[in-house]
């Protein structure tokens, strides 16, 4: 909706259109030149890897829009089909795997007057990261293909000419912090800078947060007050604010994951801890009418090994010390998120498995977010050995504290990056991991998208070894443990080819395994009971010897 509330902009069949809120004056603002062009939509890598889900942005006066024009013609075509509906043709998708061409993305200003194409003034840019149009003007954030440069540009909407406002560089990769950049009411640029081991909040290039406080996300700018989330401790996330008048202020203190929003001088905080959830503002609280879950996570947080890996441990609700338990590792392990946190919402599935008779361990290894730039850069090159070592260290640490854990019966489960880690574990360390459930795993690292994969592994033409070392297909002949592969057949993020190729390699090597295909399901686990078949598989695979 336009800022004045009079007009709605929308996209239909790749065409950007506007219509009055009264239902009149429905018209096309930009029509694709051919079927592979869209106006106003985010391309694949923007939505999957850059957290940009928009493709158009209103001017504050509601008279113009900044619009992403995406030409997908350079991107290779992949197909998804549903074997349960053989009469339907496959769906063609434009999917840019590592080392191949991305979509051509331009930025245009449309509305009053002639269309204006924005000239970023930088031939090396390949990614349009974000666009901001506020009272101080139009800004665009762009990044080069190796992701070593992230640049903020001021855009003249009348001419399309640009001027550099800020730039971050890093020999590994530059970090895209959600919500940034923005400007205060008086026009100061709010941005981030990686300073050694700390990600700091900057105002017009000046750091305003201290060493060790890791800035995560910009939540809101209300006048000259900046609301953001940050924490010195990766298991927690807290709400902070900064203004020139009041300086830096912390709004939350209880261990947990807090987020906030601010407008009109009022700050609303959504808090999630290991004991519950609440939404509060000065003088008020939202009543929680949610049904109480029969599964009650009981979580112990600890630090494992010399790297102090944040680790969560869960036991059966009625467990008594001295009772032997098989172990279930339940990691994510990727660079997209942390799992070992002071927020019980993260543990309902883990606790459910614990209540079925497992000691469950959730460990965040090197390269996971929340511990600063140096820690995140541990994911550069994404060593498979490092991923496994961290899970083993967590297992050994917890087993040292709880000798009841049966380390001769250790299972591992995960989805997406966690699915990759689970399959990796039984293929390369069967001496430690005795069964695995791998959901939507990436098994051939060359077959995942450009922006995400090249961030950690570089371009496959110049760094083929990183892709070969981490891929799992060549490990198929070494499988000696039970492995359950689960994959949605409509997954357009991690395509089913990953599970199909690993399964084919396992069959060719004469290695028994189990595949659970999910007809019509995309990347996120469907609203179907997958936990029961996982539980049955793990119980059988990890049954105590008689």
């Amino acid at each position: 909706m336009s800022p004045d509330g009079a007009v709605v902009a929308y996209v239909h069949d790749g065409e950007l259109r506007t219509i009055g809120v009264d239902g009149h004056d429905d018209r096309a603002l930009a029509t694709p030149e051919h079927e592979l062009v869209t106006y106003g939509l985010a391309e694949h890598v923007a939505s999957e890897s850059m957290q940009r889900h928009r493709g158009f942005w209103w001017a504050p006066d509601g008279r113009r829009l900044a619009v992403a024009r995406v030409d997908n013609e350079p991107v290779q075509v992949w197909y998804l089909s549903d074997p349960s509906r053989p009469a339907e043709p496959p769906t063609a998708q434009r999917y840019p795997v590592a080392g191949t061409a991305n979509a051509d993305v331009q930025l245009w200003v449309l509305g009053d007057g002639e269309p204006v194409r924005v000239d970023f003034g930088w031939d090396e840019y390949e990614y349009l990261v974000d666009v901001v149009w506020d009272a101080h003007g139009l800004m665009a954030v762009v990044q080069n293909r190796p992701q070593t440069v992230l640049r903020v540009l001021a855009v003249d909407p009348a001419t399309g000419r640009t001027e550099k406002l800020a730039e971050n560089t890093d020999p590994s990769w530059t970090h895209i912090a959600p919500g940034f950049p923005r400007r205060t009411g008086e026009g100061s640029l709010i941005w981030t800078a990686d300073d050694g081991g700390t990600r700091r909040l900057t105002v017009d290039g000046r750091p305003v947060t201290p060493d060790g406080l890791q800035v995560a996300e910009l939540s809101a700018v209300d006048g000259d007050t900046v609301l953001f989330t940050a924490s010195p401790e990766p298991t927690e996330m807290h709400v902070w604010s900064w203004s020139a008048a009041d300086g830096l202020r912390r709004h939350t203190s209880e261990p947990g994951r807090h987020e906030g929003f601010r407008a009109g001088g009022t700050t609303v905080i959504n808090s999630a801890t290991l004991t519950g959830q609440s939404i509060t503002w000065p003088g008020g609280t939202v009543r929680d009418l949610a049904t109480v879950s029969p599964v009650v996570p009981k979580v112990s947080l600890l630090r494992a090994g010399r790297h102090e890996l944040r680790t969560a441990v869960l036991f059966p609700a009625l467990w008594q010390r001295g009772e032997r338990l098989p172990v279930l590792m339940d990691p994510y392990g990727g660079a997209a998120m942390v799992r070992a946190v002071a927020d019980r919402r993260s543990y309902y599935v883990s606790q459910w498995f614990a209540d079925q008779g497992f000691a469950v361990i959730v460990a965040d290894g090197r390269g996971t977010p929340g511990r600063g730039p140096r820690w995140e850069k541990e994911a550069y090159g994404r060593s498979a050995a490092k991923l496994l070592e961290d899970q083993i260290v967590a297992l050994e640490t917890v087993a040292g504290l709880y000798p009841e854990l049966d380390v001769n019966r250790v299972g591992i489960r995960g989805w997406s990056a966690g699915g990759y880690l689970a399959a990796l574990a039984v293929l390369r360390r069967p001496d430690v991991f005795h069964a695995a459930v791998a959901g939507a795993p990436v098994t051939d690292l060359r077959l995942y998208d450009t922006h995400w994969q090249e961030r950690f592994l570089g371009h496959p033409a110049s760094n083929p070894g990183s892709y070969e070392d981490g891929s799992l297909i060549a490990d198929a002949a070494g499988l000696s443990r039970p492995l359950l592969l689960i994959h949605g057949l409509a997954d357009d993020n991690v395509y089913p080819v990953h599970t199909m190729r690993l399964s084919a390699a396992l069959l060719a090597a004469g290695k028994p395994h189990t595949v659970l295909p999910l007809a019509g399901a995309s990347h996120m686990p469907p609203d179907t009971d997958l936990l029961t078949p996982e539980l049955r598989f793990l119980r059988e695979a990890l049954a105590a010897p008689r």
Side-chain angles (χ1 to χ4, degrees):
M1 185 173 286
S2 62
D4 61 5
V7 179
V8 176
Y10 68 99
V11 180
H12 175 70
D13 282 346
E15 184 175 66
L16 181 65
R17 303 183 64 87
T18 58
I19 186 172
V21 293
D22 59 2
H24 294 91
D25 195 24
D26 186 2
R27 63 191 181 96
L29 200 62
T31 300
E33 294 82 358
H34 56 83
E35 63 180 4
L36 296 178
V37 170
T38 63
Y39 282 92
L41 296 179
E43 75 279 15
H44 175 88
V45 295
S47 59
E48 291 290 353
S49 301
M50 290 188 278
Q51 302 184 57
R52 175 170 68 79
H53 303 287
R54 299 193 60 80
F56 62 86
W57 301 263
W58 280 103
D61 62 8
R63 297 171 58 186
R64 293 170 295 179
L65 295 107
V67 181
R69 177 189 182 274
V70 176
D71 185 351
N72 282 296
E73 188 169 20
V75 184
Q76 68 178 7
V77 181
W78 277 15
Y79 296 92
L80 284 170
S81 61
D82 186 348
S84 68
R85 299 180 179 180
E88 294 188 4
T91 302
Q93 309 271 354
R94 296 281 170 165
Y95 187 79
V97 300
T100 66
N102 282 307
D104 176 41
V105 182
Q106 302 170 0
L107 185 64
W108 287 75
V109 178
L110 306 175
D112 286 355
E114 292 296 316
V116 175
R117 178 180 172 181
V118 175
D119 178 8
F120 293 126
W122 184 24
D123 292 337
E124 298 302 315
Y125 102 91
E126 190 140 346
Y127 298 115
L128 176 64
V129 175
D130 202 1
V131 174
V132 178
W133 204 339
D134 60 19
H136 302 285
L138 178 60
M139 293 191 299
V141 185
V142 292
Q143 190 179 48
N144 62 342
R145 176 74 180 248
Q147 303 179 50
T148 53
V149 182
L150 186 67
R151 187 175 291 178
V152 184
L153 301 169
V155 179
D156 182 347
T159 65
R161 289 193 290 267
T162 59
E163 177 185 355
K164 184 169 68 174
L165 295 177
E167 182 175 276
N168 289 345
T169 63
D170 190 283
S172 299
W173 74 82
T174 49
H175 177 76
I176 299 171
F180 293 92
R182 292 296 185 271
R183 283 182 281 215
T184 64
E186 54 88 24
S188 295
L189 181 67
I190 309 301
W191 186 231
T192 64
D194 289 353
D195 180 10
T198 302
R199 179 158 299 124
R200 298 179 185 269
L201 181 78
T202 64
V203 180
D204 284 337
R206 177 175 63 91
V208 297
T209 51
D211 183 53
L213 180 64
Q214 307 298 344
V215 172
E217 183 170 355
L218 180 61
S219 305
V221 177
D222 184 24
D224 290 329
T225 299
V226 181
L227 195 73
F228 62 98
T229 54
S231 180
E233 167 53 48
T235 61
E236 303 176 17
M237 189 58 66
H238 292 280
V239 178
W240 297 72
S241 65
W242 179 91
S243 68
D246 299 328
L248 188 64
R249 180 187 172 197
R250 181 171 175 169
H251 293 263
T252 56
S253 57
E254 183 180 0
R257 306 285 287 185
H258 307 268
E259 55 189 15
F261 184 76
R262 180 184 171 95
T266 297
T267 300
V268 178
I269 295 176
N270 183 1
S271 299
T273 69
L274 288 174
T275 58
Q277 291 177 253
S278 65
I279 300 175
T280 60
W281 66 94
T285 301
V286 175
R287 288 178 60 202
D288 185 359
L289 302 178
T291 300
V292 177
S293 171
V295 177
V296 181
K298 296 180 179 179
V299 184
S300 297
L301 291 171
L302 56 89
R303 301 182 181 188
R306 63 186 179 90
H307 294 296
E308 297 189 332
L309 306 172
R310 281 15 179 217
T311 303
V313 187
L314 303 95
F315 293 103
L318 301 179
W319 179 66
Q320 306 251 342
R321 289 298 303 258
E323 179 186 350
R324 295 283 281 174
L325 291 173
V327 182
L328 179 60
M329 308 296 292
D330 193 12
Y332 177 71
M337 67 177 183
V338 290
R339 284 282 323 277
V341 293
D343 177 357
R344 74 176 183 184
R345 295 174 302 178
S346 297
Y347 300 108
Y348 282 105
V349 170
S350 299
Q351 184 64 56
W352 183 85
F353 275 102
D355 289 344
Q356 311 308 312
F358 293 90
V360 179
I361 300 173
V362 180
D364 290 328
R366 283 167 285 178
T368 50
R371 289 183 66 172
R374 286 194 184 125
W375 181 264
E376 291 172 359
K377 295 305 187 292
E378 290 282 344
Y380 190 68
R382 205 166 59 180
S383 162
K386 187 187 298 182
L387 288 171
L388 291 178
E389 178 187 337
D390 289 344
Q391 295 300 312
I392 293 170
V393 166
L395 171 63
E396 292 174 343
T397 300
V398 176
L401 296 171
Y402 300 94
E404 295 92 341
L405 271 61
D406 188 347
V407 294
N408 293 312
R409 293 191 291 153
V410 177
I412 181 169
R413 67 179 295 273
W415 198 272
S416 194
Y420 166 78
L421 181 49
L424 177 74
V426 291
L427 285 167
R428 298 199 183 173
R429 291 303 304 272
D431 56 318
V432 177
F433 302 97
H434 308 101
V437 176
V442 174
T443 64
D444 185 337
L445 301 188
R446 298 174 188 82
L447 302 181
Y448 197 61
D449 83 40
T450 51
H451 192 270
W452 186 262
Q453 210 69 315
E454 292 174 15
R455 182 186 316 169
F456 307 108
L457 301 179
H459 196 286
S462 55
N463 294 292
S466 296
Y467 288 83
E468 293 165 4
D469 292 344
S471 295
L472 304 181
I473 308 301
D475 295 293
L479 181 67
S480 60
R481 300 294 189 184
L483 172 61
L484 168 60
L485 300 168
I486 308 174
H487 218 121
L489 297 181
D491 192 336
D492 58 358
N493 182 6
V494 178
Y495 272 66
V497 61
H498 289 277
T499 285
M500 296 301 105
R501 286 193 178 179
L502 179 58
S503 177
L506 291 168
L507 284 171
K511 299 297 180 178
H513 61 286
T514 304
V515 178
L516 177 56
L518 306 173
S522 189
H523 186 59
M524 299 311 294
D527 188 16
T528 302
D529 177 17
L530 297 178
L531 301 184
T532 298
E534 287 187 45
L535 175 64
R536 289 173 177 164
F537 173 85
L538 290 166
R539 277 180 169 167
E540 180 177 347
L542 301 175
R546 296 182 180 180

